[in-house]
Amino acid sequence: MATIYDVSILAGVSLATVSRVMNKNAKVSEKTLKKVQDAMDHLGYRPNAIAQSLASNRSNSVGILVSELHGPFYGSMLSGIEAELRVAQKHAIIAAGHSEEALEKEGIEFLISRRCDALILHVEAVSDDYLIDLVEKEVPIVLINRFIPSIANNCISLNNELGGYIAAKEMIDQGHQEIAYISGPNWKMDASDRLQGHQRALKEFNITYNPKLTYEGDYQEGGGSDGLAYLLESNFPFSALVCANDEMAAGAMNLAREKNVLIPRDLSIIGFDNIILAQYIHPKLSTIDYPVKQMGQMAARWILKNTFKKPELEVKNVFEPKLIKRDSIISHG
């Protein structure tokens, strides 16, 4: 197996010059660069990334832990992170925690063991205390969609409570008084915050919150269809349905078609996230924009600024949701 010494001899340059070429040092001339690259190609030499990381104490890789690897929400998040890192010539190592405490901890330990220079975490099951303790250790971390006051600088978060409020208020502004709700799993902070925002809007406009018109879903399409089925069987009338994410809204809309419930004539629906699916289903889904791609980019930028010493980068820690009006809501009364 060829070594860096073989490359330096064949290219007729010093070991330091070969090292500068491998580290993309701008001080190397084009002529020297070509000589070294030609020698590497001829010998079939590939730099040993592990050895390089041990020598430089940098692996130029960032560990990313997300809840799932499927679906447009996580796809947008990961593409935002990867695009920002790629421009800075850093690489991503990705693991999934599946919203289970043991798997989230296992994923974090795996990423640390791979000598990642920093971690970007979208975690839901591990405790605040665990994450606070993690921040105090050697590997820098930044959290997405999680806000912990004592480590606020390490958090890139969305005001989920405000998003829940905006969704319910839009229904109220359109004249709806009987409003049903399909939540996410209530043990998840974002789901709990969105429900609190929903309840705040109802209270502000003197509408009594009816827990019988709330169904706890799972953020999946099946949770939306099951939720609407439950609500229709409750015998409590409602003209509007607020869903805690777009996937559940899509599931609810599918069941509505099966039950000959016309949207929006018979039932107005709003979602949350503004995934790409929302603008292509029929009718086009009104929703709350969750700028998850931009939040992913911002998490990567946080890492580049704080770990890879790029102080010129600006980081935004808190994002605000906004209403996206489409065709799934109609005025009532």
Side-chain angles (χ1 to χ4, degrees):
M1 184 180 293
T3 68
I4 189 173
Y5 301 99
D6 299 324
V7 174
S8 68
I9 291 169
L10 183 60
V13 299
S14 68
L15 288 172
T17 299
V18 177
S19 179
R20 282 196 291 270
V21 169
M22 291 192 299
N23 291 314
K24 297 180 172 58
N25 191 307
K27 294 181 180 179
V28 179
S29 69
E30 287 294 327
K31 181 180 178 181
T32 301
L33 176 64
K34 187 175 187 312
K35 283 167 60 177
V36 173
Q37 288 177 334
D38 287 347
M40 290 171 69
D41 290 342
H42 180 78
L43 295 169
Y45 175 78
R46 295 290 180 273
N48 187 322
I50 295 175
Q52 284 182 307
S53 68
L54 289 171
S56 66
N57 205 31
R58 278 277 183 263
S59 66
N60 285 320
S61 63
V62 176
I64 305 169
L65 183 69
V66 292
S67 295
E68 303 292 343
L69 295 175
H70 64 81
F73 179 85
Y74 295 105
S76 293
M77 179 192 298
L78 290 170
S79 69
I81 294 171
E82 193 277 333
E84 196 80 15
L85 293 178
R86 181 168 18 90
V87 170
Q89 297 182 330
K90 311 301 177 186
H91 298 280
I93 300 176
I94 301 168
H98 302 290
S99 300
E100 294 182 24
E101 182 179 10
L103 293 178
E104 288 182 348
K105 288 182 177 180
E106 181 182 295
I108 290 168
E109 292 302 320
F110 163 76
L111 294 171
I112 292 173
S113 75
R114 304 309 294 174
R115 300 186 59 83
C116 294
D117 295 320
L119 305 182
I120 297 173
L121 305 179
H122 180 279
V123 289
E124 300 174 306
V126 293
S127 68
D128 287 358
D129 287 342
Y130 172 84
L131 292 169
I132 292 167
D133 182 61
L134 200 61
V135 166
E136 295 172 355
K137 294 182 177 178
E138 290 184 7
V139 179
I141 72 164
V142 60
L143 307 175
I144 296 182
N145 194 36
R146 183 92 174 242
F147 179 75
I148 302 173
S150 62
I151 53 171
N153 183 57
N154 296 71
C155 301
I156 308 296
S157 61
L158 180 76
N159 189 336
N160 282 288
E161 193 275 346
L162 177 60
Y165 172 87
I166 292 171
K169 185 176 183 298
E170 171 63 11
M171 292 301 194
I172 296 167
D173 288 345
Q174 295 301 324
H176 296 275
Q177 296 284 305
E178 297 162 328
I179 304 172
Y181 189 80
I182 300 178
S183 76
N186 287 329
W187 66 269
K188 294 188 177 185
M189 186 177 297
D190 57 0
S192 176
D193 287 348
R194 291 172 195 182
L195 178 56
Q196 288 180 24
H198 177 83
Q199 293 170 326
R200 177 165 70 92
L202 297 185
K203 183 177 181 180
E204 183 176 310
F205 290 91
N206 298 312
I207 298 173
T208 301
Y209 170 69
N210 182 357
K212 296 290 182 64
L213 280 178
T214 296
Y215 177 87
E216 184 177 350
D218 58 3
Y219 280 151
Q220 307 296 320
E221 285 187 41
S225 57
D226 291 346
L228 181 57
Y230 167 85
L231 294 166
L232 291 173
E233 292 170 2
S234 71
N235 293 321
F236 286 95
F238 57 97
S239 61
L241 175 62
V242 177
C243 296
N245 79 339
D246 291 344
E247 289 191 48
M248 292 194 300
M253 292 172 75
N254 188 56
L255 183 81
R257 280 188 290 272
E258 292 178 7
K259 299 287 188 181
N260 294 315
V261 176
L262 299 181
I263 300 170
R265 192 195 73 179
D266 301 331
L267 180 65
S268 290
I269 293 185
I270 189 169
F272 199 117
D273 284 343
N274 194 28
I275 62 176
I276 192 168
L277 169 73
Q279 58 186 306
Y280 293 113
I281 56 180
H282 181 76
K284 294 180 180 180
L285 180 64
S286 293
T287 187
I288 302 300
D289 185 51
Y290 186 143
V292 67
K293 184 173 184 178
Q294 290 84 351
M295 289 171 67
Q297 291 173 324
M298 202 57 61
R301 194 171 294 177
W302 188 99
I303 295 297
L304 295 174
K305 179 175 183 175
N306 291 281
T307 302
F308 296 105
K309 309 306 178 187
K310 295 182 179 291
E312 71 279 6
L313 295 177
E314 294 184 7
V315 174
K316 179 179 180 180
N317 288 83
V318 180
F319 285 75
E320 298 294 309
K322 65 180 182 179
L323 176 67
I324 305 295
K325 292 188 177 186
R326 296 195 179 101
D327 304 328
S328 62
I329 299 176
I330 195 170
S331 296
H332 183 73

